[in-house]
Amino acid sequence: MKSFSVSQKTSDFAVAIVPGEAIDTYGVGKVVASTNPEFDKGDIVVGLLNWGEFTVIKAGGMLNKLNTMGFPLSYHVGILGFSGLTAYAGLFEICKPKKGEKVFVSAALGSVGNLVGQFAKLSGCYVVGCAGSKEKVALLKEKLGFDDAFNYREETDLNSTLKSYFPNGIDIYFDNVGGEMQEVAVSNMNINGRIAVCGVISEYLDSEKRAAPSMIEVIYKRIKIQGFLAGDYLNIFGDFLSTTCDHLRTGKIQPLEDISDGVESIPSAFISLYRGQNIGKKIVKIAEE
Amino acid sequence: MKSFSVSQKTSDFAVAIVPGEAIDTYGVGKVVASTNPEFDKGDIVVGLLNWGEFTVIKAGGMLNKLNTMGFPLSYHVGILGFSGLTAYAGLFEICKPKKGEKVFVSAALGSVGNLVGQFAKLSGCYVVGCAGSKEKVALLKEKLGFDDAFNYREETDLNSTLKSYFPNGIDIYFDNVGGEMQEVAVSNMNINGRIAVCGVISEYLDSEKRAAPSMIEVIYKRIKIQGFLAGDYLNIFGDFLSTTCDHLRTGKIQPLEDISDGVESIPSAFISLYRGQNIGKKIVKIAEE
């Protein structure tokens, strides 16, 4: 049994890539043999594992025993792992939402975006998400409780689109895409608006597609644009975990996973991620227990 | 006697422009007649005054008696006024410099930039400024105590320029210009870098010349880009004033003023400001006492 997190940002985890060695990623697995007295055969563990059925973890590797708390293993590489912490830290530590504020989330069905929207709704915010298909828009509104959502691929004038969805302006923009969407978000932002910059799929795919937001608006509206990585917020991991587990148990948050099976699905998992085809957290399951 | 602050951002002061009425600006003057018991003939006052020799202030106008504390009146529209508060709030409230950090200031001989650099030096930072002439570069290094300075007009590759002045990276960028300089500052920034966006002369002059900083770097280096206006920091005006007065009295800070005389100099004052020809705070003096 082994599940991997698939991320646009595998370098989140400061992986040293040594020629000839396997590249690690964040995953859960079960110990099949151990010479380390801290780990016993059968222990469920989480940490940096190879992209394969078995991983040899050497001394100094990042590996911890995992208390599953009764949740599926896949949750621990997604909603209860770095994706969840990213959403939680970006929203609460950087954007600090207040009840009634207007929140916009791009790539809102991604592993992070869907949780940002759900956390923001639980904070009493008005939340609009954008995604890349009708099916996704329906999911955002019907399953995840977003107040509204739109398919950006159908819009020809994103500035007007945001104006129509936010007639009273945007207070918080959780940016998973960069590019033009960030520019129009700045144009539709209220005074003291906050942008958490979490992902820039537009730049990953084409470095020319950079956002050029109006700095005049950034000044006059006192906008904050803040990049962040979840790894800086391990100090709040405990708070995040207990809050999120509570919400999962009471059904206030819906986990959203997109799981593919087998080592052979790894390339297609990455391709679908970069094409924005995943619905929620993209996970590769290598083996059943 | 009346002195005005000349600013690229006169709308800082939320001036309502009514056709046929004069446009206000921030200035000091002397009361020549008053029907308001709070003001007596001869009082020195500061607030929103017309661009002319005399101003009639109606009830509800922004006007306060000024305690000059022994300093020239011109200081109170510059180093001890909004320019000083802008530098102080932007540096200390947004950028929070720590001893030994590397600070870059653009438009470093402007009304705000020169003070940012001087405050940063007093905080134990390494400070480099850029300006638009050899004469200005010499002033920055010789009169204002900047560690280094360069003439951006002489540089053909700003990215390499910043790399050579900051071989160990930039921690704080106080941005008075926007545009390409912001992009290369982001590229040369250290982890947890902070950018206070104070002015964007590049955008004021040409809205196409927007900065398009790499958001990938903003994320991985956890960079904060924060717009601000001094008016939001009136709560620290007292701290700012007492600190700055102390530094002026002990000679630790040099005031830098560029004063022109007479109502007829108002247009040329603005033109020189937008051309970047001013050395320090641009002030128009309308009348002697």
Side-chain angles (χ1 to χ4, degrees):
Chain A
M1 161 194 43
K2 200 162 165 187
S3 292
F4 292 124
S5 159
V6 182
S7 165
Q8 289 155 4
K9 297 189 289 176
T10 46
S11 55
D12 273 21
F13 307 109
V15 178
I17 299 176
V18 179
E21 286 193 13
I23 299 172
D24 293 339
T25 189
Y26 192 74
V28 294
K30 186 193 269 186
V31 176
V32 291
S34 172
T35 58
N36 182 330
E38 287 179 35
F39 296 96
D40 293 315
K41 186 177 172 182
D43 282 350
I44 303 294
V45 291
V46 62
L48 288 182
L49 308 180
N50 289 349
W51 281 107
E53 291 183 32
F54 298 94
T55 303
V56 177
I57 307 283
K58 295 175 184 162
M62 177 187 155
L63 194 74
N64 292 294
K65 282 192 203 183
L66 177 66
N67 176 358
T68 65
M69 298 174 291
F71 293 111
L73 291 188
S74 58
Y75 284 23
H76 296 279
V77 294
I79 189 168
L80 298 178
F82 272 82
S83 299
L85 181 61
T86 302
Y88 190 88
L91 184 66
F92 293 112
E93 297 292 311
I94 290 174
C95 299
K96 301 185 197 302
K98 290 189 279 285
K99 194 177 169 180
E101 285 195 316
K102 314 294 185 291
V103 177
F104 175 48
V105 187
S106 54
L109 262 189
S111 60
V112 174
N114 86 85
L115 294 173
V116 169
Q118 294 189 75
F119 282 131
K121 279 306 301 169
L122 289 170
S123 303
C125 296
Y126 180 83
V127 181
V128 177
C130 74
S133 74
K134 278 183 190 169
E135 175 201 14
K136 288 180 174 181
V137 167
L139 265 176
L140 287 169
K141 293 199 277 191
E142 288 152 27
K143 180 169 179 181
L144 299 185
F146 280 54
D147 293 290
D148 218 330
F150 65 90
N151 176 359
Y152 70 89
R153 294 186 206 263
E154 284 180 351
E155 304 295 330
T156 52
D157 177 354
L158 289 173
N159 192 40
S160 301
T161 303
L162 283 189
K163 253 184 221 341
S164 70
Y165 283 94
F166 293 98
N168 299 313
I170 298 167
D171 298 300
I172 290 170
Y173 172 42
F174 199 99
D175 185 0
N176 288 306
V177 301
E180 185 190 358
M181 196 67 89
Q182 188 190 91
E183 296 173 15
V184 295
V186 163
S187 294
N188 284 280
M189 206 137 224
N190 290 329
I191 285 175
N192 296 322
R194 294 136 268 163
I195 299 180
V197 189
C198 177
V200 278
I201 187 74
S202 61
E203 263 185 66
Y204 296 137
L205 299 176
D206 178 356
S207 65
E208 296 300 305
K209 284 201 177 172
R210 283 189 182 173
S214 162
M215 285 293 148
I216 294 179
E217 296 198 73
V218 166
I219 293 174
Y220 283 107
K221 300 196 286 198
R222 296 81 140 175
I223 291 171
K224 177 172 78 168
I225 300 174
Q226 171 85 61
F228 74 103
L229 293 179
D232 291 338
Y233 295 93
L234 294 177
N235 60 312
I236 61 164
F237 193 83
D239 288 342
F240 149 70
L241 202 58
S242 70
T243 303
T244 310
C245 286
D246 286 350
H247 289 326
L248 281 169
R249 288 192 188 101
T250 56
K252 287 184 181 167
I253 278 194
Q254 306 300 320
L256 205 63
E257 301 178 322
D258 187 340
I259 300 178
S260 65
D261 277 307
V263 170
E264 64 279 10
S265 75
I266 293 172
S268 63
F270 273 99
I271 290 166
S272 83
L273 190 76
Y274 277 88
R275 287 188 177 154
Q277 293 166 336
N278 55 306
I279 304 281
K281 178 65 186 178
K282 187 77 205 169
I283 292 166
V284 176
K285 185 162 69 175
I286 302 292
E288 300 286 345
E289 190 165 4
Chain B
M1 159 194 41
K2 200 162 165 185
S3 292
F4 294 124
S5 159
V6 182
S7 165
Q8 290 154 4
K9 297 189 288 175
T10 47
S11 55
D12 273 22
F13 306 108
V15 179
I17 300 176
V18 180
E21 286 195 11
I23 299 172
D24 293 339
T25 189
Y26 192 74
V28 293
K30 185 192 267 186
V31 176
V32 291
S34 172
T35 57
N36 181 330
E38 288 181 33
F39 297 97
D40 294 315
K41 185 178 173 182
D43 282 351
I44 303 295
V45 290
V46 61
L48 288 182
L49 308 179
N50 288 350
W51 280 106
E53 291 184 32
F54 297 94
T55 303
V56 177
I57 306 283
K58 295 175 185 163
M62 177 186 155
L63 195 74
N64 291 294
K65 282 193 203 181
L66 177 66
N67 176 358
T68 65
M69 297 173 292
F71 292 110
L73 291 187
S74 58
Y75 285 23
H76 297 278
V77 295
I79 189 168
L80 298 177
F82 272 83
S83 299
L85 181 62
T86 302
Y88 191 87
L91 184 65
F92 294 112
E93 297 292 309
I94 290 174
C95 299
K96 301 185 197 304
K98 291 189 279 286
K99 194 176 168 182
E101 284 196 315
K102 314 292 184 292
V103 177
F104 175 49
V105 187
S106 54
L109 263 190
S111 60
V112 175
N114 87 84
L115 294 173
V116 170
Q118 294 189 73
F119 282 132
K121 279 306 300 171
L122 290 171
S123 303
C125 295
Y126 179 83
V127 181
V128 177
C130 73
S133 73
K134 276 183 192 172
E135 177 202 13
K136 288 180 173 180
V137 167
L139 266 175
L140 287 169
K141 293 199 278 190
E142 288 153 27
K143 181 169 179 182
L144 299 185
F146 280 54
D147 293 290
D148 219 329
F150 65 89
N151 176 0
Y152 70 89
R153 294 185 207 265
E154 285 180 350
E155 304 294 330
T156 52
D157 177 352
L158 289 174
N159 193 40
S160 300
T161 302
L162 283 190
K163 252 183 223 341
S164 70
Y165 283 94
F166 294 97
N168 299 313
I170 299 167
D171 298 300
I172 290 171
Y173 173 42
F174 199 98
D175 186 0
N176 289 306
V177 301
E180 186 190 357
M181 197 66 90
Q182 189 191 89
E183 295 174 16
V184 294
V186 163
S187 294
N188 284 280
M189 206 136 223
N190 291 328
I191 285 176
N192 297 321
R194 294 136 267 163
I195 299 179
V197 190
C198 177
V200 278
I201 187 73
S202 60
E203 264 186 66
Y204 296 138
L205 299 177
D206 179 355
S207 65
E208 296 300 305
K209 284 202 176 172
R210 284 188 182 174
S214 161
M215 286 294 148
I216 294 179
E217 296 198 73
V218 166
I219 293 175
Y220 283 107
K221 299 196 289 199
R222 298 82 140 172
I223 291 171
K224 175 172 79 168
I225 300 173
Q226 172 84 63
F228 74 105
L229 293 178
D232 292 339
Y233 295 92
L234 293 177
N235 60 312
I236 62 164
F237 193 83
D239 288 340
F240 148 71
L241 203 58
S242 70
T243 303
T244 310
C245 287
D246 286 349
H247 289 326
L248 281 168
R249 288 192 189 102
T250 56
K252 286 184 181 167
I253 278 193
Q254 307 300 321
L256 205 63
E257 300 178 322
D258 185 341
I259 300 179
S260 66
D261 277 305
V263 170
E264 64 280 10
S265 75
I266 294 172
S268 62
F270 272 100
I271 290 167
S272 84
L273 190 76
Y274 277 88
R275 286 187 178 156
Q277 292 165 337
N278 56 307
I279 303 280
K281 179 65 186 177
K282 187 78 206 169
I283 291 166
V284 176
K285 185 163 69 177
I286 302 292
E288 299 287 346
E289 192 166 3

